[in-house]
Amino acid sequence: MNKREGTLTWDEYFMGLAHLSALRSKDPNTAVGAAIVDGNHKVVSVGYNGFPKGCSDDVFPWNREGTFLNSKYAYVVHAELNAILNAPRPVTGCTLYVSLFPCNECAKAIIQSGIRRIVYESDKYADTDSTKASRRMLEAAGVELQRIENTIHLEVKKVPNTEK
């Protein structure tokens, strides 16, 4: 008997994990997930965009519009930074899988943490100054950038809890 054909590549597999992590995000507009993986294909950490610990997502705003203090931009921790901050060990030399190309602020943390490769899917903000600055820093620091497309997108349907 021959092995099964058509299995996921490692990049597709870990991007799927990033998409699964994004399902934890409560952002009504842009749910982003990230996974950090070492050279032995071991998951080091995962993250998604949300508010810092202790900051209720029922109290802080999810708005994209309005003043800085009345929008999510003052408060949300991005998926990449959450994954780095939640890692139980250093992420030096690891690969970051992220569903959306990192912003300039995340790029700084990625570079400083020693991540050497980023696999991303969407680059929908490529023309923004933030993404241009991010790409410039990442390339200058020698971080490998690889875009993959046509990965599996997960949709989870919640089943009502009937337990009492």
Side-chain angles (χ1 to χ4, degrees):
M1 178 178 270
N2 293 329
K3 68 180 181 181
R4 185 171 71 87
E5 297 292 325
T7 59
L8 297 175
T9 65
W10 283 115
D11 286 346
E12 291 167 336
Y13 178 77
F14 292 122
M15 187 59 74
L17 181 56
H19 283 292
L20 181 63
S21 298
L23 293 175
R24 284 284 308 142
S25 175
K26 295 178 183 168
D27 191 320
N29 297 297
T30 307
V32 179
I36 299 175
V37 178
D38 70 16
N40 294 315
H41 303 295
K42 304 290 184 206
V43 177
V44 176
S45 186
V46 295
Y48 55 89
N49 56 323
F51 296 123
K53 290 179 186 174
C55 296
S56 172
D57 48 39
D58 292 323
V59 175
F60 286 86
W62 285 110
N63 306 324
R64 293 182 349 172
E65 315 281 317
T67 65
F68 183 68
L69 293 177
N70 290 315
S71 73
K72 67 180 180 177
Y73 301 111
Y75 310 104
V76 169
V77 180
H78 288 179
E80 306 93 321
L81 186 57
N82 258 330
I84 292 167
L85 293 173
N86 291 322
R89 64 176 178 87
V91 296
T92 304
C94 288
T95 295
L96 170 71
Y97 292 86
V98 63
S99 53
L100 181 64
F101 192 88
C103 73
N104 64 306
E105 293 300 321
C106 288
K108 295 172 196 177
I110 290 164
I111 293 165
Q112 289 297 96
S113 71
I115 288 172
R116 301 304 309 149
R117 179 174 177 245
I118 299 172
V119 178
Y120 64 97
E121 188 175 59
S122 175
D123 200 8
K124 68 180 181 179
Y125 298 114
D127 292 330
T128 66
D129 287 346
S130 172
T131 301
K132 288 176 183 177
S134 174
R135 189 175 300 278
R136 182 177 178 188
M137 286 186 287
L138 291 165
E139 288 173 353
V143 176
E144 179 187 343
L145 303 174
Q146 182 178 351
R147 184 174 187 181
I148 62 172
E149 298 181 43
N150 302 322
T151 62
I152 296 171
H153 290 266
L154 304 169
E155 288 186 37
V156 175
K157 294 182 181 176
K158 290 215 170 206
V159 177
N161 186 349
T162 57
E163 293 181 19
K164 294 188 179 193

